[in-house]
């Protein structure tokens, strides 16, 4: 049992407000809890959070919520003290029987093992492949936006940008990069929804329970067998029929074992898809709610690359990542014990007044902009460059097609304390 949080020193300020809950995934369906984040940053920068049973998932032992920018950076950079390997990287503890399997993923490894796998997969992202990728991405953005605007003009001028543009944009770009055949690409979205949206009734699909009657973990070996079987079959096909794609490179790499290749496919399919799938509509929503900012982007008053960084700060695709303390340590005046869960909150760090001037103001020209939306340290997002490319192109093409965008109805957000997702975004795009 958890021994209970304890401070290294007693607080000097009386009447400190209570610690708000930032664990419950249901509260994120209303947007990021910035008031709670600010209270935590100001009064409880490293705060103990209970982990009650929620949405059918069992209670956990609790964790430390880290909300200030400097402390988030320390946790992300110090892999020796704050391990990705010990308990993996999700808030909820995996089944102990599944942990050896989960640790095979690069995301859940510590240096030096993590560095070896990262170097291997980086070989696939050559400058020539990235250049070719940008051309295909721009063509796809233009085609999806044209179709969405055309359909809106024949109706009421409104379209759901998630269903009409951004879901397909993220998915099809990734499928091209990996070399997934057109007829199989729908599987990728199904897998992403199952793994990322498991806390959301709309995204999770039919409930699957384990032998104990509790929900089955979507990241468990049993729940991923269909994806891994597909990865093996596709890799075998690429060895017989190589193409100019990432999976061909990985399948031909003799340093990669079959289990490692399967895990790479899982990581690229889920993280590679959902990073852009979450960030793209979030950025468009911010622009629709800030017409002056959209006008500045559209006229070229602000470079698109700079705007992308601010939109990522404003709407980070990932809400939180977990580490496990490998040894007793201290963080912001709190004694962290070996084995404790330590969870960083990206959206809070991105609004830390100690780092960002007027963080509640969308400033597309903000520089410098040291947001942590792609993490930091050894686990900084491997696909950050490709994600930035896709976001920049999408915003450029949106500006070219639409003189203005306006919110036409309330967006529907994902029920999740992990991914900052949008399930729908009704925008008025035509008159």
């Amino acid at each position: 049992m958890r021994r209970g949080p304890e401070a290294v020193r007693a607080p000097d300020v009386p009447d400190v407000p209570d610690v708000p809950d930032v664990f419950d995934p249901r509260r994120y369906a209303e947007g990021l809890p910035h008031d709670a984040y600010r209270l935590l940053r100001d009064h409880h920068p490293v705060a103990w959070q209970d982990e009650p049973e929620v949405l059918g998932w069992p209670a956990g032992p609790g964790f430390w919520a880290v909300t200030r920018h400097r402390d988030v950076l320390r946790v992300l950079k110090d892999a020796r003290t704050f391990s990705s390997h010990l308990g993996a990287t999700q808030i909820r503890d995996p089944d102990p029987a599944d942990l050896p399997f989960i640790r095979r993923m690069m995301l859940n490894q510590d240096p030096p093992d993590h560095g070896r796998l990262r170097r291997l997969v980086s070989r696939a992202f050559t400058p020539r492949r990235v250049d070719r990728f940008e051309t295909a991405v721009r063509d796809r953005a233009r085609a999806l936006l044209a179709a969405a605007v055309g359909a809106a003009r024949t109706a009421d001028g409104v379209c759901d940008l998630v269903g009409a543009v951004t879901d397909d944009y993220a998915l099809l770009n990734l499928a091209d990069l990996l070399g997934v055949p057109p007829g199989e690409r729908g599987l990728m979205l199904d897998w992403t929804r199952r793994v990322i949206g498991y806390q959301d009734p709309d995204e999770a699909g039919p409930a699957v329970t384990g032998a104990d009657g509790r929900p089955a973990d979507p990241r468990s070996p049993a729940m991923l067998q269909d994806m891994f079987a597909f990865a093996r079959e596709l890799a075998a096909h690429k060895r017989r029929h190589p193409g100019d794609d990432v999976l061909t490179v990985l399948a031909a790499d003799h340093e990669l074992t079959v289990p490692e290749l399967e895990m790479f496919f899982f990581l690229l399919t889920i993280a590679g898809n959902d990073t852009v799938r979450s960030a793209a509509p979030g950025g468009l929503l911010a622009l629709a709610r800030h017409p002056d900012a959209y006008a500045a982007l559209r006229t070229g008053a602000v470079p698109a690359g700079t705007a992308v960084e601010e939109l990522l700060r404003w709407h980070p695709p990932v809400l939180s990542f977990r580490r496990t303390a490998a040894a007793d340590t201290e963080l912001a005046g709190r004694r962290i014990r070996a084995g404790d869960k330590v969870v960083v909150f990206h959206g809070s760090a991105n609004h830390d007044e100690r780092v960002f001037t007027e963080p509640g103001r969308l400033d597309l020209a903000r520089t410098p902009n040291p947001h942590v939306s792609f993490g930091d340290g050894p686990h900084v997002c491997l696909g950050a460059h490709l994600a930035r490319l896709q976001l920049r192109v999408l915003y450029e093409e949106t500006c070219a097609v639409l003189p203005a965008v306006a919110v036409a109805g309330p967006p529907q957000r994902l029920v999740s304390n992990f991914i900052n997702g949008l399930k729908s975004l009704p925008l008025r795009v035509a008159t």
Side-chain angles (χ1 to χ4, degrees):
M1 290 292 291
R2 179 67 178 89
R3 297 170 296 273
E6 53 184 290
V8 172
R9 49 189 172 272
D12 299 321
V13 181
D15 301 322
V16 173
D18 292 340
V19 173
D21 167 43
V22 291
F23 165 71
D24 192 330
R26 294 168 295 191
R27 76 174 305 172
Y28 293 93
E30 304 300 321
L32 269 65
H34 285 299
D35 289 345
Y37 283 163
R38 183 166 186 168
L39 190 155
L40 288 172
R41 290 194 302 270
D42 288 348
H43 300 285
H44 309 281
V46 177
W48 185 255
Q49 293 275 309
D50 290 328
E51 197 180 344
E53 181 176 351
V54 61
L55 296 171
W57 295 92
F63 61 91
W64 296 102
V66 183
T67 48
R68 282 185 187 169
H69 188 275
R70 69 179 181 186
D71 299 323
V72 167
L73 286 184
R74 181 188 161 193
V75 171
L76 293 176
K77 289 175 179 290
D78 186 1
R80 183 181 296 274
T81 305
F82 301 101
S83 170
S84 299
H85 176 76
L86 288 176
T89 49
Q90 302 299 298
I91 294 178
R92 182 174 175 271
D93 287 333
D95 187 312
D98 293 340
L99 193 53
F101 166 82
I102 292 169
R103 284 171 172 165
R104 284 167 27 195
M105 190 185 303
M106 185 175 67
L107 189 67
N108 300 322
Q109 295 184 358
D110 293 331
D113 294 336
H114 165 264
R116 168 188 164 266
L117 290 176
R118 191 178 180 98
R119 285 191 297 273
L120 291 179
V121 77
S122 295
R123 297 175 187 173
F125 296 101
T126 62
R128 183 178 67 83
R129 181 166 290 115
V130 172
D131 289 344
R132 181 180 65 81
F133 182 61
E134 178 169 359
T135 299
V137 163
R138 193 171 296 279
D139 290 343
R140 177 162 291 121
R142 288 174 179 168
L144 289 170
L145 286 164
V149 171
R153 283 177 177 156
T154 65
D156 58 358
V158 174
C159 77
D160 174 9
L161 257 289
V162 172
V165 178
T166 58
D167 265 5
D168 283 346
Y169 180 71
L171 173 69
L172 297 175
N173 289 341
L174 179 66
D176 277 354
L177 192 68
L178 287 177
V180 175
E184 308 291 346
R185 294 179 175 187
L187 292 171
M188 298 173 69
L189 183 57
D190 291 340
W191 290 326
T192 301
R193 284 176 170 157
R194 184 201 306 172
V195 173
I196 294 298
Y198 74 95
Q199 295 172 316
D200 189 301
D202 294 336
E203 295 278 297
V208 179
T209 56
D212 59 1
R214 292 180 170 179
D217 190 333
R219 297 174 178 85
S220 66
M223 295 293 288
L224 293 173
Q225 286 309 305
D226 56 340
M227 182 190 292
F228 283 8
F230 179 86
R232 291 192 298 273
E233 292 173 7
L234 185 57
H237 175 79
K238 295 296 181 181
R239 294 185 190 102
R240 297 190 301 269
H241 307 283
D244 186 12
D245 55 68
V246 167
L247 203 64
T248 292
V249 176
L250 296 179
D253 193 326
H254 297 297
E255 291 186 55
L256 275 180
T257 67
V258 171
E260 287 172 341
L261 185 142
E262 292 171 355
M263 277 297 189
F264 269 133
F265 184 81
F266 170 79
L267 182 62
L268 293 169
T269 296
I270 304 304
N273 182 20
D274 218 72
T275 298
V276 175
R277 182 175 174 241
S278 300
L284 291 170
L285 174 60
L287 292 170
R289 287 178 168 170
H290 297 82
D292 290 346
Y294 184 70
L297 179 60
R298 190 167 184 268
T299 60
V302 178
T306 304
V308 165
E309 299 307 312
E310 177 69 349
L311 293 170
L312 282 166
R313 182 190 74 85
W314 191 265
H315 185 97
V318 176
L319 294 167
S320 64
F321 262 120
R322 173 252 184 102
R323 300 291 188 265
T324 304
D328 291 354
T329 189
E330 181 184 333
L331 187 64
R334 287 290 188 176
R335 181 174 293 117
I336 311 295
R337 297 181 178 181
D340 283 357
K341 290 193 281 190
V342 178
V343 179
V344 298
F345 285 82
H346 300 258
S348 177
N350 284 355
H351 278 71
D352 191 342
E353 300 83 356
R354 297 151 192 81
V355 176
F356 301 96
T357 303
E358 295 184 83
R361 179 171 63 91
L362 185 71
D363 178 7
L364 297 187
R366 187 185 297 273
T367 53
N369 197 339
H371 65 78
V372 293
S373 295
F374 287 136
D376 208 308
H379 281 284
V380 67
C381 178
L382 179 65
H385 172 63
L386 292 173
R388 287 183 166 104
L389 183 157
Q390 292 175 75
L391 295 169
R392 173 178 58 80
V393 167
L394 179 63
Y395 300 148
E396 288 172 347
E397 294 303 319
T398 300
C399 287
V401 170
L402 300 175
V405 288
V407 179
Q412 299 296 311
R413 297 178 181 271
L414 191 68
V415 176
S416 175
N417 56 20
F418 176 45
I419 291 294
N420 191 18
L422 287 168
K423 298 184 289 186
S424 71
L425 175 57
L427 292 185
R428 186 166 297 282
V429 298
T431 57

